[in-house]
Amino acid sequence: MATAFVTGATGLLGRHLVERLVQQGWTVRALHRNPSDAAKLRAIGAEPFAGDLGNPAALRKAMAGADTVFHAAALFTMWAPAEDFESANVGGTRNMLTAAQAEHVSSFVYISAAGVVMGDGKPMTNIAEDTPLAYPSCAPYLASKARAQKLVLDANEAGGMRTAAILPPLIWGAGMPMLDNLVEQVMAGSFTWPAGGSQIMSTAHVHNVCACAILAAEKSPGGRAYFVTDGQSQSLRTVMTALVGTKDVEIKARNAPLGIAWFIARVMELLWRTFGRSGEPPLTRQMLRMVGYDFTISDRRAREELGYAPVTSWAQGLAAMRAGA
């Protein structure tokens, strides 16, 4: 019976990953910071370990004897100082790799992001994993994920450990935190369609991301990145309308030309920096870079090398969300 160590296990992806691993017969350990999360992790079949990504001793203790590490924890927000992203996403990943090598872990799977290849604002369609990584200054989250991914893949075969990176686009499914925020914006009348919402995007249901990550741990030759998708691409308007519709909410919003949206985002960022406003600006350049242009990816490598195929379709995922599953 294989043993896995999972970070980010209390988030949307990490929780589903733990549940899937347990169902497949793995012994699962999970990192947590909040003491109240220990009971939640036990309830889904994981053994909780207290600690954080900045505590190498706690990481080594939790990894001791583990076969595979799934590193899903990250600072994910549209607005935070660049140094915070670097500390959590790059520094934390470096600590994870060091601990995994010291504990002779066999495989290390990093949950990256498809957006690590997004550079200057432009349409990108049907792209593959050989697209160069990008480090846009206006998108510190994406830049930090790109740097962390490079660390992971460069560490392949160090101490005999295989590494792989999973690159999902928008991760969706029941319980997705982004949906509540989106519904609030729609209800408040503050939501607008950037570029009219006609831009085409790829998506990845949380079940599909988990399935691909486990296949990578089992079958990847190492040092490889894998895009993962639902197997179809749709417009931003179609995707967001359907997701909000699972909450019985209808989007009635204006269209915002992309150039105007970029200008508004710059002004909002300046206001938040200058006056130290709390929370996130309603619009940021990082957000627009992620959703403002056509962005579709090919998961051919995952299908050919790992035997990946979506386990949950768009229709099945939406039905589960409507049912509250």
Side-chain angles (χ1 to χ4, degrees):
M1 184 179 294
T3 298
F5 173 57
V6 180
T7 69
T10 56
L12 174 69
L13 175 63
R15 175 170 50 82
H16 282 279
L17 179 58
V18 168
E19 291 173 347
R20 190 173 188 88
L21 288 166
V22 171
Q23 290 169 2
Q24 294 185 8
W26 292 64
T27 296
V28 181
R29 302 170 182 172
L31 189 70
H32 71 95
R33 290 182 298 178
N34 192 327
S36 65
D37 287 332
K40 298 176 185 177
L41 293 171
R42 290 191 186 95
I44 59 175
E47 180 184 2
F49 278 80
D52 59 58
L53 300 182
N55 187 336
L59 295 178
R60 286 197 61 175
K61 179 180 178 181
M63 287 184 200
D67 305 289
T68 299
V69 166
F70 294 94
H71 181 28
L75 173 60
F76 176 51
T77 176
M78 293 297 103
W79 186 250
E83 54 268 26
D84 289 359
F85 288 111
E86 290 297 305
S87 176
N89 298 342
V90 183
T93 298
R94 184 180 291 109
N95 290 340
M96 288 286 294
L97 288 167
T98 299
Q101 291 163 4
E103 294 301 327
H104 307 291
V105 169
S106 298
S107 60
F108 188 108
V109 179
Y110 175 59
I111 307 300
S112 186
V116 296
V117 298
M118 290 179 175
D120 296 333
K122 62 181 180 181
M124 303 175 72
T125 57
N126 200 37
I127 60 171
E129 292 86 351
D130 58 359
T131 305
L133 296 174
Y135 309 93
S137 59
C138 69
Y141 165 72
L142 295 177
S144 68
K145 293 292 283 186
R147 279 187 273 274
Q149 177 177 309
K150 186 175 188 304
L151 287 177
V152 171
L153 298 186
D154 286 349
N156 185 55
E157 295 187 355
M161 181 174 68
R162 290 182 298 111
T163 65
I166 305 301
L167 284 64
L170 172 69
I171 301 176
W172 65 285
M176 59 187 296
M178 184 200 80
L179 185 55
D180 291 336
N181 181 260
L182 181 59
V183 168
E184 287 180 8
Q185 290 187 37
V186 171
M187 298 296 287
S190 60
F191 179 81
T192 59
W193 290 111
S198 62
Q199 51 273 45
I200 305 301
M201 62 185 294
S202 298
T203 56
H205 190 274
V206 63
H207 292 168
N208 296 333
V209 182
C210 293
C212 191
I214 295 172
L215 286 170
E218 296 172 339
K219 298 184 178 182
S220 174
R224 302 288 271 173
Y226 300 94
F227 284 129
V228 55
T229 78
D230 294 324
Q232 66 182 95
S233 298
Q234 305 176 90
S235 71
L236 174 70
R237 184 180 287 266
T238 298
V239 170
M240 295 305 172
T241 298
L243 292 176
V244 170
T246 64
K247 297 287 189 179
D248 295 322
V249 174
E250 181 182 358
I251 299 180
K252 296 179 180 179
R254 304 179 304 277
N255 295 336
L258 196 54
I260 294 176
W262 272 100
F263 174 76
I264 294 172
R266 284 180 177 274
V267 170
M268 287 185 172
E269 290 178 12
L270 179 61
L271 288 173
W272 256 251
R273 281 198 194 93
T274 302
F275 299 103
R277 294 189 176 183
S278 61
E280 296 183 11
L283 192 63
T284 65
R285 289 176 294 163
Q286 180 159 244
M287 184 189 306
L288 284 175
R289 182 60 196 92
M290 295 173 73
V291 303
Y293 303 86
D294 289 345
F295 183 72
T296 64
I297 55 180
S298 169
D299 60 13
R300 180 177 178 180
R301 177 184 288 181
R303 292 173 184 266
E304 293 181 348
E305 289 190 8
L306 307 179
Y308 167 75
V311 296
T312 296
S313 69
W314 178 252
Q316 290 169 334
L318 289 178
M321 291 177 72
R322 292 191 193 98

